[in-house]
Amino acid sequence: MRLQGKVAIVTGGGRDIGREVSIKLAAEGARVVINYANDEASASATLATIKEAGGEAILHRADLTQADQAAGLVDAALAAFGPRVDILVNLTGGMVQRRPLAEIDEAFFDTVMNLNLKSTYLVTRATVPHMAEGGAIVNFASQAGRDGGGPGASIYATAKGAVMTFTRAMAKELGPQGIRVNALTCGMIATRFHDDFTKAEVRTAVAAATPLRRQGNAAEVARTVAYLASDDAAFVTGVNLDVNGGTFFS
């Protein structure tokens, strides 16, 4: 119960990695605000799991590429569990589609950058005024932000690289306030993301080439988030932490 009494916002918290993060933070004692954009059924299932285990959580629906809706998410957290937010997990993001450069128009570029980078910026901006010393922000970048991503993932990789830089910048800016900012750069994690965007044979090949000889799973990522959000990581900030089984060494 490392997070007893803490208030946590998890964006993209309804399914896959977000679901496991929400469940883990609640199991550690946090009161969790689960934001989702579209998949209400999955978010509701996550909420039910937390409540069945005796945890506290609420759902909130918002498009976090919109400033007013990002602010509304924070307002909902304060109304439910105020007076402050202790933990922010910026998980909202996605590749949308794999496209080579010749097929990337401005609308697609903006969509991917807004989903991954702008949402992180907007929710962070809205949350920080309500954080106190000891607060923790955990962003989600990607191994793609380090190595450029796979075929057709250039804009996604670029956005995630920007999240990594934003993490470092915020660690410097918010450190004097006692707020820590870190990010995860996940590799091949078995989620719907790779079900949608990565061929089975590619996943098999990546797993075979990984020192641990497998894909990761969402629960392993969630445990890493809980560590970074807790006082166990009290002197850790500005880190983009690899969670990839050794696929890529930074």
Side-chain angles (χ1 to χ4, degrees):
M1 303 294 283
R2 292 175 292 180
L3 306 178
Q4 187 68 47
K6 303 284 190 180
V7 175
I9 294 174
V10 182
T11 75
R15 72 178 207 183
D16 293 324
I17 293 174
R19 168 178 288 175
E20 295 298 330
V21 169
S22 297
I23 290 170
K24 178 60 175 174
L25 297 187
E28 292 275 7
R31 293 170 288 171
V32 182
V33 180
I34 302 164
N35 188 80
Y36 69 99
N38 299 305
D39 193 346
E40 183 175 1
S42 291
S44 295
T46 300
L47 179 65
T49 298
I50 290 172
K51 290 191 171 183
E52 286 167 6
E56 291 185 72
I58 64 168
L59 295 182
H60 185 81
R61 184 173 187 172
D63 174 359
L64 299 179
T65 67
Q66 304 299 313
D68 59 339
Q69 294 192 45
L73 168 60
V74 178
D75 289 344
L78 297 173
F81 301 129
R84 67 182 186 277
V85 176
D86 302 288
I87 299 161
L88 169 62
V89 182
N90 281 309
L91 237 161
T92 293
M95 190 182 300
V96 184
Q97 288 181 333
R98 290 190 183 273
R99 291 191 185 184
L101 179 62
E103 297 175 13
I104 297 171
D105 56 22
E106 289 183 55
F108 180 79
F109 178 94
D110 290 344
T111 294
V112 177
M113 294 297 288
N114 288 346
L115 180 60
N116 292 281
L117 177 60
K118 187 178 181 181
S119 66
T120 298
Y121 144 70
L122 287 176
V123 181
T124 301
R125 186 182 69 172
T127 302
V128 164
H130 305 285
M131 289 189 125
E133 184 174 358
I137 299 172
V138 182
N139 297 323
F140 267 72
S142 170
Q143 184 177 314
R146 294 201 187 279
D147 65 15
S154 61
I155 307 307
Y156 173 77
T158 299
K160 290 304 190 181
V163 170
M164 293 168 64
T165 299
F166 183 69
T167 296
R168 298 184 187 103
M170 288 298 99
K172 289 182 177 181
E173 182 171 327
L174 302 178
Q177 301 175 42
I179 298 171
R180 297 180 298 105
V181 189
N182 296 289
L184 301 188
T185 56
C186 294
M188 185 73 73
I189 308 298
T191 63
R192 274 186 271 185
F193 177 95
H194 288 294
D195 293 343
D196 292 341
F197 296 115
T198 307
K199 294 178 180 179
E201 59 268 28
V202 173
R203 294 174 72 168
T204 300
V206 170
T210 297
L212 292 182
R213 295 297 190 268
R214 64 176 178 87
Q215 300 177 66
N217 63 64
E220 291 169 323
V221 177
R223 290 194 290 271
T224 309
V225 172
Y227 161 70
L228 290 174
S230 76
D231 289 341
D232 288 349
F235 202 54
V236 178
T237 195
V239 169
N240 288 287
L241 181 62
D242 297 317
V243 183
N244 62 31
T247 305
F248 184 89
F249 298 137
S250 62

